[in-house]
Amino acid sequence: MVYKLSDQLDHIGNTQYIFETYKEYLNTNRNKFPTSVLDILASERWFGGSGSTAPYYCELDNFEIIDFGKESARLILTLIKKDHRDYKEKPFRLRLIYQGLLELNIPHQKDISINPFMWRYDEFLFFDPWSSYGHNERMFTHNIEWVGKNVWSITAKQIVATWEDL
């Protein structure tokens, strides 16, 4: 179930309802998420308006997959938020490392080499394919919606986020 991407936020008069529902989903399912996801969601750096250190309206700077096809596979996204003339903020670089990469779904996009990817919305969902067998590995899916409504879906076991001022 997807809670806070543009299909909901852009078409519902009460966007606060979507965020409250998503927050309730996260609280109800806390025990199903890896600690690394809960740490990011609790971070003051992750949430906030576009003038904060949150990833919203960051530009994708680099995309790297390491150990593809192995259990140690990981994805690294490097994002940059540049100084914006409409509000005061310090530029920064955000690096997201998805460890134990299980699945990556990136839909086809025309002109990928000339159109920048700007982060718009995101959501974390728990991923528990083996729960019916009594095994909870605490994995997650991170859906990232870029400006233009392209949604990437990343399923992994852990995530690490690091910020660097520019």
Side-chain angles (χ1 to χ4, degrees), residues 87-104:
Y87 41 80
K88 297 294 179 201
E89 63 184 12
K90 292 182 181 179
F92 64 89
R93 177 178 288 118
L94 171 60
R95 188 172 176 185
L96 298 173
I97 304 170
Y98 298 85
Q99 299 170 335
L101 184 66
L102 298 172
E103 191 172 293
L104 180 60

Side-chain angles (χ1 to χ4, degrees), residues 53-69:
T53 57
Y56 310 110
Y57 295 103
C58 281
E59 186 174 320
L60 181 63
D61 183 53
N62 194 26
F63 171 94
E64 183 179 3
I65 297 177
I66 298 170
D67 289 343
F68 183 78

Side-chain angles (χ1 to χ4, degrees), residues 80-139:
I80 293 182
K81 184 174 272 186
K82 300 173 183 173
D83 188 26
H84 194 280
R85 61 188 166 107
D86 292 341
Y87 41 80
K88 297 294 179 201
E89 63 184 12
K90 292 182 181 179
F92 64 89
R93 177 178 288 118
L94 171 60
R95 188 172 176 185
L96 298 173
I97 304 170
Y98 298 85
Q99 299 170 335
L101 184 66
L102 298 172
E103 191 172 293
L104 180 60
N105 184 0
I106 300 175
H108 170 74
Q109 179 179 340
K110 292 173 67 174
D111 303 324
I112 196 167
S113 63
I114 43 181
N115 291 329
F117 281 82
M118 298 292 287
W119 185 299
R120 186 167 185 213
Y121 298 121
D122 77 297
E123 66 180 356
F124 285 96
L125 304 173
F126 74 86
F127 181 74
D128 195 4
W130 300 296
S131 64
S132 61
Y133 299 105
H135 182 69
N136 181 2
E137 179 114 11
R138 293 186 184 202
M139 296 177 275

Side-chain angles (χ1 to χ4, degrees), residues 134-154:
H135 182 69
N136 181 2
E137 179 114 11
R138 293 186 184 202
M139 296 177 275
F140 67 94
T141 296
H142 190 196
N143 293 318
I144 302 168
E145 181 174 327
W146 305 95
V147 170
K149 295 195 174 192
N150 293 300
V151 178
W152 290 12
S153 181
I154 304 162

